[in-house]
Amino acid sequence: MAPATRVRARVLGFAFLLAVVTYLDRVCISAAAPYIMEDLHLSVLQMSVVFSAFTLSYSLFEIPSGWLGDVKGPRRVLTRIVLWWSAFTMLTAAARGFASLVVIRFLFGAGEAGAFPNIARSFSRWFPARERGRANGVMFLGSRIGGMLSAPIALLIVARWGWRTSFVMFGLLGAVWAAAWFAWYRDRPDDHPAVNREELAWIQQDGSNEVRGDDAGATGTPWRTLLRSRNLYAICAMYFAFGYGLYFYFTWLPTYLIKVLGFSVLGGGVFAALPFLLAGIADLVGGWLTDHLSRRHGLRVGRCYLGFGAFLTCAALVFASTLSVPSVAKAVLLAMALASADLALGACWAVPIDIAPDHAGVITGCMNTLGNLGGLLGPLVVGIAVDRWHSWTFPFYVTAIIYACGACAWLAIDPTVPLTRPKVVLRRGR
């Protein structure tokens, strides 16, 4: 037999690069926030509203964009998404005050919504169940590399050319990705000329991603079944906790490091990058671990028990950062907390595909909507606590409690119960 091709590895490469660009564009504003606030005369609370404007629109448009990916396919939908958000990343440089900055960031979020649900939809067609955790782990490694590079690069650009230039430079990267994606990618592996019969058989080995006639996502979304699914609500609750804690790193971390803990711009850039470096490593390890445990002990152990332990450890580390320890220790504890949460990120995004591969865009869109609603709330809690009570400690207490609740939500998820199709069982030794 001819050796199987590895076209799906290139699909994963595109997903990795997309995640890098996504987070370069998203985290750029957190690094530039102190300079934007000074230039546009914004208060801490006003800057919180700017951060949350993106998150609000991102949340509102996640489900429609994910559903559109199920119906139209990720090739066209992702091309539109990336071109839109790249344009509004560059337009951020044109902001002249609080109102214009809020509007631009709201439209930026509306454009970026659906990026990861559409990638999840792509993975549901291009990867068998045994590889989805690792695929998600590699993709989110890209997001953390983007987050890691964004803060120090943006700070250097801002120091030399001003904060407006940084948005123009980061925004140009997306247009290149979109052109390459549309030219090369195909929504179905059997439509791609480079995929041979052996690779197609490997991709469809467990039957969870076979296409029967027209793409199943276009035949109708089972909204009534979705709304009755306990799994969906537990997944959304779990990801709300993840998003709530995550957005601190996208928004207030550089300000906290420089203005509160007293780091220099260089030191703040290094410690702002550290959480994303550790989280990227955790994404790779967690992606491999969730697939390994799922094959040996079943999906519930590989997805849910792993998620429970990762989230609970994250809660403990966030709480520990509030204790009377040196500034360096606080920064390291916060970095380790993000890495602990990210250890479960591959499992987070594999679970929706496990229960509904034909509707992965909608399921992950629902999940990411709640995650970003958590992200909407988190920066606002920080802004209110600092503006009214002059406290940076209170928001960390809230974050620790929410992560602990998210750990409990993991135990309510059963990835062996499918939404509409026969369950996929990963047996030991397979």
Side-chain angles (χ1 to χ4, degrees), residues 418-429:
L419 185 69
T420 57
R421 299 178 56 184
K423 68 170 66 176
V424 177
V425 178
L426 292 180
R427 297 182 175 87
R428 297 187 184 188

Side-chain angles (χ1 to χ4, degrees), residues 357-371:
D358 289 338
H359 308 285
V362 169
I363 300 291
T364 54
C366 292
M367 179 184 81
N368 214 19
T369 293
L370 267 293

Side-chain angles (χ1 to χ4, degrees), residues 286-306:
W288 172 84
L289 190 59
T290 184
D291 285 343
H292 174 74
L293 292 175
S294 296
R295 286 196 301 272
R296 290 184 62 86
H297 304 290
L299 287 173
R300 189 164 178 81
V301 172
R303 309 295 197 224
C304 303
Y305 292 175
L306 173 64

